[in-house]
């Protein structure tokens, strides 16, 4: 059995009680960043949970981080505004030099710096990360970066960004995954000096942007790990990302089940509560069953990650199962509420849209299934 982190969960619930649905509805209408919420989480130490104590953090594992994000989402809040600080942190923790850790980690733990941006995806590469074109050319004590990134969340609200670039052309590498490197970019210096940020308006408030690099100079001392080995570093971070986002999906699903169960017991039609009807009961029960099973997969993946075991397959399975379970719960909750499910004041429609973000897109589902097929079942690669 994995640790439940009951004390952490209770603390998160108390904190989230100060940020009710009305707070998030206002931010959603204004397309505003929840600065107050992120600051409160930072001051409480929840965003530095993975940072070792010697650098000002709690020194806990991914299991504790999943408990934090799950409770944030179950409480009706949205960890998407700051969750990247947890999974992006792994690249610096595992592959950064001692000097880099001492320079940045204490200031991230205190909230002086935000590490929220993760620059990987590009318009022409999609999910084939080996085909990224953003290139960093070494010039003396600097790397000179040119290229483009897209769907980069929170770039406008981050001081630092973990950026994946090519340092050797793909055609000159023995393997497509070789020749990529990771740079830690100081956004405060970069904006206006080679970095341009363009917001992308989407169906929900997620601070998504497109980035343009035009001969941006990044100090060579900001290289994380070894030049040319960056793809492996990013994969480590993606396992953590999938597990953490899966925990948010579990929290979302439990939010929907809690709300649907309460409404079904209160809403009376034809002289009795709608929850007395099996047509209402069974979808809620099914959502609970699917979510409970997915939660066990998330716990297993987090425990393997914390134990230092290979967990790529488990992380992918957790993300797929949790996202699909939460999406079923979201649809069920809207159906249970009927027309009120579309009303802003009930806060269901906002969470419904936010959950859609984490629901795995078809291409992502195919990639996950391909990973499971080739790694767990040893089937030949399909592409």
């Amino acid at each position: 059995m994995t640790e439940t982190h009951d004390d952490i969960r209770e603390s998160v619930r108390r904190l989230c009680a100060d940020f009710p649905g009305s707070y998030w509805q206002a931010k959603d209408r204004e397309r505003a960043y929840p600065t107050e919420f992120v600051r409160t989480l930072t001051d409480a130490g929840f965003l530095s949970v993975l940072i070792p104590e010697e650098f000002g953090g709690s020194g806990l594992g991914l299991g504790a981080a999943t408990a934090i994000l799950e409770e944030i989402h179950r409480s009706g809040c949205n960890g998407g505004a700051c969750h990247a600080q947890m999974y992006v942190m792994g690249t610096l923790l595992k592959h950064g030099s001692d000097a880099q850790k001492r320079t940045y980690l204490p200031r991230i733990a205190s909230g002086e710096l935000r590490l929220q941006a993760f620059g990987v995806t590009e318009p022409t590469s999609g999910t084939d990360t080996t085909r990224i074109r953003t290139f960093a050319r070494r010039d003396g004590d600097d790397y000179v970066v040119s290229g483009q990134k897209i769907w980069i969340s929170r770039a406008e609200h981050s001081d630092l960004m973990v950026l994946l670039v090519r340092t050797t052309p793909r055609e000159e590498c023995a393997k497509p995954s070789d020749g990529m490197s990771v740079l830690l970019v100081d956004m405060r210096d970069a904006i206006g000096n080679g970095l341009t940020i363009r917001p992308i308006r989407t169906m929900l408030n997620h601070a998504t942007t497109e980035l343009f690099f035009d001969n941006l100079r990044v100090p060579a001392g900001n290289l994380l790990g070894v030049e040319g080995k960056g793809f492996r570093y990013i994969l480590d971070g993606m396992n953590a990302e999938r597990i953490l986002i899966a925990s948010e999906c579990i929290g979302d699903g439990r939010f929907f089940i809690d709300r649907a169960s309460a409404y079904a017991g209160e809403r009376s039609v034809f002289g009795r509560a709608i929850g007395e009807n099996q047509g209402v009961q069974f979808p809620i029960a099914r959502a609970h069953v699917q979510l409970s099973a997915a939660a066990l997969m998330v716990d297993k993946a987090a425990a393997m990650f914390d134990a230092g075991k290979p967990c790529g397959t488990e992380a992918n399975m957790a993300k797929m199962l949790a996202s699909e379970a939460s999406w079923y719960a979201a649809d069920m909750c809207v159906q249970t509420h009927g027309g009120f499910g579309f009303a802003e004041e009930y806060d269901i429609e906002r969470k419904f849209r936010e959950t859609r973000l984490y629901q795995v897109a078809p291409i992502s589902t195919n990639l996950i299934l391909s990973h499971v097929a080739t790694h767990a079942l040893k089937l030949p690669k399909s592409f």
Side-chain angles (χ1 to χ4, degrees):
M1 295 295 292
T2 56
E3 190 175 354
T4 57
H5 302 288
D6 290 338
D7 291 344
I8 290 178
R9 291 176 183 274
E10 178 58 31
S11 296
V12 173
R13 284 194 290 269
R14 288 198 302 268
L15 183 152
C16 289
D18 293 331
F19 298 90
S22 56
Y23 171 84
W24 296 99
Q25 291 160 19
K27 295 296 182 185
D28 194 53
R29 285 194 298 270
E30 299 163 7
R31 297 289 176 132
Y33 186 76
T35 301
E36 306 84 358
F37 177 69
V38 175
R39 168 54 59 186
T40 302
L41 281 177
T42 302
D43 291 344
F46 290 127
L47 295 187
S48 60
V49 66
L50 298 178
I51 297 176
E53 292 183 87
E54 64 178 302
F55 299 120
S58 303
L60 299 178
L62 200 69
T66 62
I68 291 168
L69 291 177
E70 180 187 323
E71 291 303 325
I72 286 173
H73 282 248
R74 185 171 188 172
S75 297
C77 299
N78 185 2
C82 50
H83 61 192
Q85 191 145 303
M86 292 184 174
Y87 59 77
V88 175
M89 188 71 62
T91 307
L92 177 57
L93 283 172
K94 293 184 68 173
H95 307 292
S97 67
D98 186 65
Q100 289 169 334
K101 293 176 185 178
R102 295 193 181 281
T103 298
Y104 295 109
L105 291 179
R107 298 164 70 191
I108 294 171
S110 69
E112 180 184 347
L113 293 177
R114 285 181 184 165
L115 175 57
Q116 290 290 349
F118 191 38
V120 176
T121 306
E122 298 185 6
T124 58
S125 64
T127 52
D128 187 356
T129 305
T130 67
R131 294 188 182 277
I132 65 168
R133 297 180 181 179
T134 298
F135 198 86
R137 172 179 55 84
R138 184 67 181 265
D139 181 27
D141 293 333
D142 294 331
Y143 284 99
V144 181
V145 182
S146 295
Q148 183 180 357
K149 299 288 182 181
I150 197 169
W151 310 124
I152 309 304
S153 301
R154 299 163 300 275
E156 296 174 291
H157 307 283
S158 185
D159 300 307
L160 303 172
M161 173 174 58
V162 170
L163 177 67
L164 183 67
V165 296
R166 274 218 166 267
T167 44
T168 303
R170 188 175 190 267
E171 59 273 15
E172 296 179 14
C173 297
K175 296 189 300 182
S177 57
D178 291 342
M180 288 183 279
S181 303
V182 177
L183 300 176
L184 188 62
V185 177
D186 191 324
M187 307 279 279
R188 300 166 300 172
D189 296 333
I191 296 174
N193 293 306
L195 171 61
T196 301
I197 301 177
R198 184 176 70 85
I200 301 176
R201 190 173 179 87
T202 61
M203 69 181 291
L204 71 164
N205 181 28
H206 198 63
T208 299
T209 63
E210 188 172 16
L211 309 181
F212 299 89
F213 302 91
D214 184 13
N215 293 321
L216 171 67
R217 286 190 170 271
V218 179
N222 284 27
L223 174 71
L224 294 177
V226 178
E227 182 176 297
K229 303 295 183 182
F231 184 72
R232 177 169 59 85
Y233 304 160
I234 293 298
L235 286 183
D236 288 342
M238 286 183 173
N239 284 338
E241 176 189 22
R242 289 189 170 109
I243 295 168
L244 289 170
I245 291 180
S247 72
E248 292 180 325
C249 292
I250 298 299
D252 282 336
R254 287 179 169 150
F255 168 89
F256 289 120
I257 292 169
D258 291 344
R259 291 296 182 93
S261 298
Y263 186 79
E266 297 167 357
R267 174 68 166 160
S268 180
V269 178
F270 298 117
R272 68 177 194 169
I274 62 172
E276 294 182 33
N277 301 309
Q278 290 183 344
V280 174
Q281 289 181 357
F282 286 4
I284 299 175
R286 178 177 290 276
H288 175 71
V289 170
Q290 292 179 174
L291 204 73
S292 296
L296 292 175
M297 192 68 241
V298 176
D299 288 344
K300 178 179 180 180
M304 293 178 68
F305 186 96
D306 284 338
K309 297 179 180 179
C311 62
T313 297
E314 289 74 17
N316 278 279
M317 291 167 65
K319 170 73 184 306
M320 178 177 169
L321 291 173
S323 64
E324 292 182 349
S326 68
W327 181 239
Y328 177 87
D331 181 69
M332 172 277 299
C333 189
V334 171
Q335 298 289 347
T336 301
H337 281 76
F340 290 110
F342 293 90
E344 182 184 90
E345 64 180 289
Y346 277 74
D347 219 26
I348 303 301
E349 61 87 25
R350 173 183 65 85
K351 291 293 288 183
F352 182 91
R353 285 184 286 113
E354 291 174 358
T355 300
R356 189 68 184 97
L357 174 68
Y358 299 130
Q359 167 64 13
V360 186
I363 182 63
S364 297
T365 302
N366 291 340
L367 286 172
I368 287 174
L369 292 175
S370 177
H371 178 99
V372 173
T374 56
H375 288 78
L377 302 178
K378 308 302 181 185
L379 294 170
K381 290 184 178 182
S382 57
F383 62 88

